[in-house]
Amino acid sequence: MEKVLQKTTKVDNKNRPKKVFIKTFGCQMNVNDSERIKGILKNLGYQFTSDWKEADLILLNTCTVREKPDRKVLAHLGEYKKVKEINPTAKIGVCGCLAQRMGEELDKRAGGIIDIMFSSYNIHHLPQLLEKANRGEKAIEILEEPPKDEWEMFEYPTIRENPYWAFITIMKGCDKDCTYCIVPQTRGRERSRPIRSIINEIKELVKEGVKEIHLLGQNVTAWGKDFEEPIPFSYLLYKIAEIDGVERIRFTTGYPSDLTDDVIKAMGEIPQIADALHLPFQSGSNRILKRMHRYYTKEEYLEKIYKLREVKPNIALSADVIVGFPGETEEDFLETLDVIEKAKFEQLFSFKYSPRPGTPAAEYPDQVPDDVKTERMHRLLELQKKIMNQLAKRYEGKIVYPLFERYSEGKLIGRSSENKWVEVKSDRKELLGKIVPVKVNKASVYVLYGEFISQI
Ligand code: 5AD
Ligand code: SF4
């Protein structure tokens, strides 16, 4: 990495540091990629700005998982192109999944205003791409395949919003073939990050004061399967827990059938593993799950949840679900509602099915009309709201353990092990970066309001 950066010139041709405005769309993987991009740009002398109008470089890290994020990116490009009227040397860059999917076509659609384009495969080529763009050439590099040196960029420091917890990408890509999903096209096949690289990054982060580690991957529970000598994901969890100073561990996103018994056992045994898990189920109908190419049944999914609750009785579950997948009947939808009733998710991310170009489901003839999707979505949200209101009550009078990460207007704010926001009226800023027991007095759906118990 150093070598790559040394080859490039620092960018200050106007004797003032250049400013970059970065906008990130999509999932946590994209957030982590942006943190890495910020690390590279900081090393090149860039300063960050939250006002795109004063930027020398506007960078959009894009998502294409559904049609909505696609449209958002194009709308933003339409606005940001005005930066070139303010500053004719300003550059516009687009990276991430939409860049990977559309390549030069995206530049055409945006009216030829894009100067730099790359994807999650080649973030570490950004210095060379910038150099090219600053010479006035278009710097578009969309690779068909991830390069061999793609984990090299992970040796490089990230710029994170918060000093106390950190995302760690441990694998990329996805080998599943869900018929609705564009991700295998944009992020490629599964590649697990070598264990030593993961452990080294975590050790460095802990030295800097990070307490909570959030492991990331499109399919994080499949980590280690693609090594010449496969290593179970549970082994990685035990190894991370052994590192001095790691106080909490989370991981996203799990795939139900890869959440094997050894992982569930590890979740029960490792005290630092958070009392929260995001486990998408997508549909409650076995017929639809089969059409989606999801390799589990409704019963198997629920069984995983019951097993999890045996080892972690307080676990707060969250999930993703798709409404109106092609061919979904009223009966199929009722099966989805049944999973919601039974699983009792603390948070549910629900999406209307959105056909993605080049995916098998987009070609299925029995697409569900939008008004049916909308009507089902309303019913689903109604049910979920009821469940969330009931679940919130379980916190009242209980002790939770937030990691305080922010102080604002007389309040300390942090996330509990169950991934709930906790607020305590206090000026004790010395508690930032600490996991502290808090008694909950009042619980709303998203925030637990509490006070310190007397010994603190
Ligand atoms: N339409 C609707 N939702 C989708 N998701 C992925 N692809 C689609 C699609 N084509 C949802 C899934 C996934 C989440 C990140 O986005 O629920 O888990
Ligand atoms: Fe969006 Fe999927 Fe890419 Fe994440 S991996 S940014 S959700 S398309």
Side-chain angles (χ1 to χ4, degrees):
M1 195 76 231
E2 278 302 317
K3 266 183 277 145
V4 175
L5 293 171
Q6 274 161 16
K7 268 189 254 151
T8 63
T9 47
K10 288 242 159 118
V11 197
D12 66 343
N13 53 5
K14 280 191 223 148
N15 289 332
R16 63 157 178 87
K18 291 212 172 198
K19 290 192 176 167
V20 56
F21 169 85
I22 301 182
K23 179 140 183 93
T24 307
F25 300 83
C27 62
Q28 292 160 327
M29 300 284 289
N30 258 21
V31 173
N32 189 225
D33 285 346
S34 286
E35 291 173 343
R36 224 157 275 289
I37 290 169
K38 285 180 193 163
I40 293 174
L41 289 171
K42 184 167 180 232
N43 190 280
L44 291 174
Y46 276 84
Q47 288 183 351
F48 303 107
T49 174
S50 53
D51 178 5
W52 63 267
K53 293 194 184 92
E54 62 165 36
D56 300 283
L57 170 65
I58 291 181
L59 198 55
L60 273 68
N61 191 0
T62 62
C63 170
T64 187
V65 73
R66 288 170 296 274
E67 205 188 330
K68 217 167 164 184
D70 281 11
R71 283 205 304 262
K72 268 199 217 159
V73 171
L74 285 161
H76 276 87
L77 277 172
E79 186 176 13
Y80 295 155
K81 72 178 176 201
K82 294 182 200 136
V83 76
K84 297 196 179 192
E85 290 163 22
I86 304 167
N87 171 5
T89 63
K91 304 288 176 238
I92 296 184
V94 181
C95 60
C97 292
L98 185 63
Q100 179 71 32
R101 177 168 84 72
M102 286 183 72
E104 298 203 9
E105 179 60 30
L106 179 60
D107 185 37
K108 280 198 202 120
R109 284 272 299 276
I113 55 145
I114 299 174
D115 305 291
I116 300 170
M117 213 191 289
F118 56 101
S119 73
S120 65
Y121 291 165
N122 50 347
I123 286 170
H124 55 315
H125 296 173
L126 177 57
Q128 288 92 329
L129 293 171
L130 263 173
E131 217 175 46
K132 194 169 170 193
N134 285 329
R135 286 198 304 266
E137 295 169 44
K138 263 199 196 290
I140 295 185
E141 188 189 72
I142 299 298
L143 306 176
E144 294 276 310
E145 298 278 332
K148 292 263 175 304
D149 64 349
E150 73 168 333
W151 291 116
E152 255 192 40
M153 65 176 123
F154 286 76
E155 308 287 313
Y156 202 73
T158 55
I159 306 280
R160 286 170 286 112
E161 292 291 313
N162 196 277
Y164 309 119
W165 61 267
F167 286 133
I168 317 272
T169 296
I170 64 161
M171 67 172 301
K172 296 179 164 208
C174 183
D175 278 2
K176 303 281 190 282
D177 57 349
C178 304
T179 53
Y180 52 80
C181 189
I182 194 113
V183 171
Q185 277 180 51
T186 65
R187 296 257 177 182
R189 309 281 298 168
E190 279 170 10
R191 290 98 66 203
S192 299
R193 180 173 173 187
I195 190 160
R196 185 163 311 163
S197 167
I198 299 171
I199 300 288
N200 285 347
E201 188 180 359
I202 296 176
K203 282 186 176 162
E204 285 305 312
L205 289 167
V206 168
K207 267 195 232 154
E208 289 168 23
V210 166
K211 303 289 168 59
E212 180 174 308
I213 297 297
H214 193 147
L215 308 174
L216 291 182
Q218 259 84 35
N219 192 6
V220 80
T221 36
W223 178 87
K225 280 190 178 170
D226 58 317
F227 290 145
E228 229 160 78
E229 285 180 38
I231 308 178
F233 175 60
S234 54
Y235 178 82
L236 178 67
L237 291 175
Y238 285 105
K239 282 287 154 206
I240 293 174
E242 277 171 17
I243 300 173
D244 253 358
V246 171
E247 294 187 21
R248 187 167 281 161
I249 305 169
R250 302 184 192 274
F251 54 88
T252 318
T253 296
Y255 186 91
S257 28
D258 289 330
L259 193 78
T260 40
D261 285 348
D262 59 317
V263 179
I264 295 178
K265 185 161 170 272
M267 290 178 72
E269 285 178 356
I270 299 174
Q272 296 107 311
I273 293 190
D275 255 335
L277 185 69
H278 184 68
L279 196 64
F281 72 103
Q282 312 298 8
S283 169
S285 153
N286 288 338
R287 199 177 67 81
I288 295 294
L289 285 170
K290 224 176 199 165
R291 284 193 116 195
M292 287 177 161
H293 286 187
R294 299 285 291 181
Y295 300 107
Y296 54 87
T297 60
K298 169 189 177 188
E299 293 72 25
E300 282 162 354
Y301 180 86
L302 288 171
E303 184 63 26
K304 297 273 174 200
I305 286 184
Y306 300 145
K307 278 190 182 167
L308 273 169
R309 291 212 162 107
E310 265 169 39
V311 299
K312 269 185 164 307
N314 291 323
I315 195 162
L317 293 168
S318 60
D320 293 343
V321 58
I322 296 176
V323 174
F325 184 80
E328 185 189 77
T329 62
E330 175 65 16
E331 286 83 64
D332 293 318
F333 177 64
L334 291 177
E335 295 282 357
T336 291
L337 293 187
D338 190 44
V339 171
I340 296 172
E341 289 264 16
K342 292 195 165 110
K344 306 235 180 293
F345 299 109
E346 215 119 330
Q347 239 188 317
L348 186 59
F349 301 89
S350 44
F351 307 103
K352 285 202 266 181
Y353 169 72
S354 164
R356 305 315 290 131
T359 57
E363 306 299 322
Y364 292 171
D366 43 2
Q367 301 288 322
V368 174
D370 195 56
D371 56 339
V372 176
K373 287 184 201 167
T374 305
E375 188 268 338
R376 287 181 188 160
M377 182 64 101
H378 280 311
R379 279 152 67 200
L380 181 150
L381 291 175
E382 223 19 65
L383 171 63
Q384 180 56 21
K385 203 165 107 193
K386 201 178 81 194
I387 292 170
M388 279 163 69
N389 281 323
Q390 285 164 0
L391 289 178
K393 294 279 164 248
R394 79 175 172 120
Y395 292 99
E396 288 185 355
K398 296 258 164 58
I399 310 278
V400 291
Y401 294 83
L403 166 63
F404 285 119
E405 63 174 61
R406 214 151 32 92
Y407 171 83
S408 166
E409 295 171 4
K411 283 178 297 189
L412 285 171
I413 301 165
R415 276 195 186 275
S416 74
S417 180
E418 302 85 355
N419 214 12
K420 287 271 184 191
W421 284 111
V422 179
E423 285 187 16
V424 179
K425 278 198 186 125
S426 167
D427 292 322
R428 294 184 56 191
K429 292 184 199 153
E430 76 276 12
L431 295 178
L432 285 171
K434 299 213 160 62
I435 294 178
V436 183
V438 166
K439 179 159 175 267
V440 179
N441 295 326
K442 193 167 163 288
S444 76
V445 166
Y446 294 107
V447 185
L448 309 177
Y449 303 91
E451 61 185 11
F452 294 130
I453 48 181
S454 48
Q455 301 93 302
I456 300 295

